[in-house]
Amino acid sequence: MIFAIIRARGSNWNHACSLEDQKDWSRHAEFMNGLHAEGIVLFGGPLEGTDDVLLIAQADSAQQITDRLSEDCWSIAELLVTKSIVPWQLRLGSLG
């Protein structure tokens, strides 16, 4: 299944710092790159002009995504929180 995930800046996000200057940026980036390498996160990035991030992911269930994202140091530190995980049907284009 394919899912669209919206994550938002959490309560410990430092609005005075850029994305790359947030606490544990390197660990977070390494974790997310790992999810991409595993084929779980297919695409991801911030939504311009918002506090949100969009991820397109492939998994057996929304719970699998929730469980994996809970391991992210930014989730643990409440720098990012998951707002929604919804199944998504790709109707135009392809992931291949």
Side-chain angles (χ1 to χ4, degrees):
M1 294 180 67
I2 300 172
F3 295 87
I5 299 113
I6 300 291
R7 298 182 84 197
R9 295 173 183 168
S11 60
N12 288 324
W13 185 270
N14 184 344
H15 293 275
C17 294
S18 69
L19 178 75
E20 293 83 4
D21 289 330
Q22 296 297 318
K23 179 184 175 195
D24 290 330
W25 160 254
S26 296
R27 281 185 41 216
H28 166 70
E30 183 178 314
F31 177 82
M32 294 306 295
N33 286 334
L35 291 181
H36 177 70
E38 291 175 39
I40 295 172
V41 172
L42 306 174
F43 304 100
L47 293 170
E48 197 71 30
T50 74
D51 289 342
D52 296 341
V53 173
L54 171 66
L55 303 175
I56 301 298
Q58 188 167 306
D60 294 330
S61 67
Q63 188 61 52
Q64 181 184 16
I65 294 168
T66 298
D67 292 346
R68 291 307 306 277
L69 290 176
S70 72
E71 300 169 8
D72 180 12
C73 64
W74 276 16
S75 294
I76 295 165
E78 295 185 22
L79 287 166
L80 283 178
V81 296
T82 301
K83 290 173 64 175
S84 65
I85 300 174
V86 294
W88 180 56
Q89 290 186 11
L90 179 61
R91 298 263 177 156
L92 182 62
S94 73
L95 297 174

